[in-house]
Structures are given as structure tokens and as C-alpha cells.
Amino acid sequence: MGAGVMKKHGGAGRRRRGGRGKHSVMAEINVTPMVDVMLVLLIIFMVAAPMMTVGVPLELPKTAAKAVPTEQEEPLAVSLQLDGTVSLMNSDVPEEELVDRLRAIAAERDSTKVYLRADGGIDYARVVQVMGALNAGGFNDIILVTDPGGPSLTGNAAAGN
């Protein structure tokens, strides 16, 4: 990859045996291909990073609430879709298995914080049922995820708060 042959320019110097007197091995590393590969990897990660968020598509309700500070541990996200399907991170979970899976996850985690993402068209009673299952599974710090920019109690839309 990086070795080549250089010709010696010079007159009547000493001659070596074996007929290699005019050529020697070049010991330089060509870094251009390595830089090209690194740039391609950088572009791939820049494109893929925004797609690594929790991927269950929901129509979240809009509120004037402020954003929750981020944590060191990856947050556990439970999504409640409009058709009633409950998803734990990116995989659908049958309702009868939800509490057992939550207990198993709670035993491995340091935090009891969970993010509940519920579609805006879901009945409030259904959201409260899932919150009860989260509590029974060992997660008592439930954060309801919403989209910013919704109406506030004063009737004005929040401007990015």
C-alpha cells in the first residue's frame, strides 16, 4: 500500500550485488486513502445519528412545558400508539407481558425514570392504565413526552419554552 520504488540519481557510485544498485525501497505511508475512509465514516455517522432516536411515529400533544434535562443513562421510552399498541423502546409488547418486562428492566437499571410517549388521540383513561402498569413494573418517575409550541393556560402559544 505505501511502499514503492525510488530511482537513485547519481553518477558512478558504488555498485551493489544483485543488480539493485539503482533502486531502493521507499518507506513512506500514503495517508490519503485513510483520510478518505475517515471522511466517509464521518458522513455516515452524521446522517445516521438523528435516526437513532426512539422510532415509533406518534402525533404527540403540544404543550408549553419546558424540556426535561438529559441523563447519562439511555432513557427508557414506552410508546402508546393510537391503535392501542404499547411499545417498549422500538418493539411492540403484549399488554399481559408489559409489567414482567418492566420489572426485568428495572432490576438492571439505576434510574426509575421512564418516558411515556402517548399519541394525542388516545383516551386519558388508557394513558392512566399504562401509567399504572409502569408503576407496577418499578418505574415511579414517569415523564410525559409532548411536542413544544402548544397552548398554555394563558391562551398564548409557547414560543420555544
Side-chain angles (χ1 to χ4, degrees):
M1 175 167 131
V5 177
M6 291 178 48
K7 292 184 179 180
K8 282 188 177 179
H9 297 289
R14 287 186 256 162
R15 291 194 161 235
R16 294 184 185 177
R17 294 183 199 171
R20 291 188 179 185
K22 294 184 181 180
H23 302 287
S24 66
V25 176
M26 182 175 65
E28 291 183 15
I29 297 175
N30 189 359
V31 296
T32 304
M34 184 178 65
V35 171
D36 290 344
V37 168
M38 296 304 289
L39 288 174
V40 168
L41 288 175
L42 177 67
I43 291 170
I44 288 171
F45 286 123
M46 287 173 57
V47 170
M51 295 178 197
M52 292 181 165
T53 59
V54 177
V56 178
L58 298 174
E59 185 65 38
L60 296 172
K62 298 189 182 308
T63 64
K66 293 184 179 182
V68 177
T70 59
E71 299 179 26
Q72 292 178 352
E73 192 174 37
E74 181 182 1
L76 177 66
V78 175
S79 301
L80 184 56
Q81 299 173 29
L82 188 58
D83 63 355
T85 306
V86 178
S87 299
L88 189 57
M89 297 303 276
N90 287 332
S91 60
D92 294 344
V93 178
E95 289 184 35
E96 55 274 359
E97 295 179 15
L98 180 62
V99 175
D100 292 334
R101 285 198 189 177
L102 288 169
R103 285 182 182 148
I105 292 171
E108 298 175 3
R109 294 178 64 91
D110 296 331
S111 174
T112 60
K113 190 177 288 189
V114 63
Y115 291 89
L116 178 59
R117 302 173 68 237
D119 195 287
I122 298 287
D123 288 333
Y124 180 68
R126 179 72 176 131
V127 175
V128 172
Q129 288 173 350
V130 173
M131 289 175 69
L134 292 172
N135 198 345
F139 292 93
N140 54 12
D141 191 0
I142 302 170
I143 298 170
L144 299 174
V145 179
T146 59
D147 279 337
S152 65
L153 292 177
T154 60
N156 299 330
N161 290 338

